[in-house]
Amino acid sequence: MTGLVLLAPGLPDSLLTPLRASGLTLQTLDGAPALEQAEAACAYVVFGGSPASAALIDSLPNLKIIAVHGVGYDGVDVEHARSRGVVVTNTPDVLTEDVADLALALTLNTLRALPMVEHHLRSGRWAAGERAPLTRRASARRYGVLGLGRIGAAIARRLEPLGGSIAYHSRRPVAGAPYAYYDSARSLAEAVDVLIIATPGGPATDKLVDAEVLAALGPDGVLINIARGGVVDEGALIAALTENRLFGAGLDVFAHEPRVPQALLDHPRCVLTPHVGSATLETRAAMAGLVVENLLAVLSGQPAVTPVV
């Protein structure tokens, strides 16, 4: 297989190694493509949030596929790509379980404030006779999942053994879902103790969790986000946390990654991870394999394995 594949900056070695083995020519695209790149490029590999605008797509006349290394594709102008005959693919399913695992881990860590109490031990305060602060129980709580897609449903299944109630909000009720449905993010937040965000990113969900939703969640509430940072109004979240209008937050994603506001870094009841929902050896290998499968299929004239539909 021959052809020039453009790469978004920062793609992991777990993907670059099998791409190199495919025989394709790889070049990183950082900014606008040079004329020679633009003419030769047949594929563009990106993260879900990497920009693949209509203008960029138009600048690559021989582009056949935009392959997303991830499940989200909010940075890609999918409709314009389709209008140009460019296939867009992603890597669904293979990362569902790991992202759901992290959501549960963030939930438990935030409710029990494990980083804070670990610091209490490591700093010598326990040995000095000072009791650790009390935290919140995880069992028998009211959990809400914002976005009951593949990942949201996997999160909900992990919450079931905790013995609480589970509710959700999606654009429409999910057929067969055994959980209570709420028709808005605000009404769901009002009904739960812990709100876990698993909705897609993009303009439709930008700042969906705003000051009003956070107020509905209330001072004993916990927010967990493993989706996209833009789904949350980060300024409103910081205000709610610093003014004790929210108990805590567990965040794997942020509005302006990799920059994280100092107020979140400093807050004792924030549990923060650097966008690592799918970052296990097993899942990254599976994601890389699926990206390569999609590229080779489309560039050889075959249907994509996992097209965005």
Side-chain angles (χ1 to χ4, degrees), residues 6 8 32 60 89 92 105-106 110 113 159 171 187 192 195 197 203 206 212-213 223 231 245 284 287 297:
L6 299 179
L60 304 172
T89 65
L106 283 173
T110 306
L159 296 171
R171 285 176 295 177
S187 61
V192 301
L195 182 64
I197 303 171
D206 185 56
E212 185 178 320
V213 172
L223 183 74
V231 179
R245 293 185 282 107
R284 287 294 170 86
M287 290 169 66

Side-chain angles (χ1 to χ4, degrees), residues 250-275:
L251 309 171
D252 185 48
V253 290
F254 305 90
H256 304 289
E257 295 176 3
R259 299 186 301 278
V260 179
Q262 193 64 42
L264 296 178
L265 294 170
D266 291 342
H267 199 282
R269 291 194 301 275
C270 280
V271 180
L272 310 175
T273 53
H275 204 150

Side-chain angles (χ1 to χ4, degrees), residues 74-114:
D74 42 292
V76 180
D77 191 331
V78 176
E79 291 305 317
H80 190 74
R82 286 182 182 138
S83 75
R84 291 290 311 276
V86 177
V87 177
V88 179
T89 65
N90 65 344
T91 59
D93 298 322
V94 295
L95 50 70
T96 297
E97 303 306 323
D98 279 349
V99 176
D101 285 347
L102 183 67
L104 180 61
L106 283 173
T107 300
L108 297 174
N109 271 272
T110 306
L111 285 166
R112 297 306 305 269
L114 292 188

Side-chain angles (χ1 to χ4, degrees), residues 5-71:
V5 177
L6 299 179
L7 308 172
L11 289 165
D13 286 341
S14 59
L15 173 61
L16 297 181
T17 299
L19 278 177
R20 292 188 184 105
S22 71
L24 294 162
T25 301
L26 309 181
Q27 291 182 11
T28 298
L29 180 64
D30 195 358
L35 180 60
E36 202 171 282
Q37 282 182 316
E39 289 292 329
C42 59
Y44 185 30
V45 181
V46 299
F47 291 113
S50 302
S53 64
L56 178 61
I57 293 166
D58 286 342
S59 73
L60 304 172
N62 297 306
L63 189 67
K64 294 182 172 60
I65 177 173
I66 299 172
V68 177
H69 182 260
V71 67

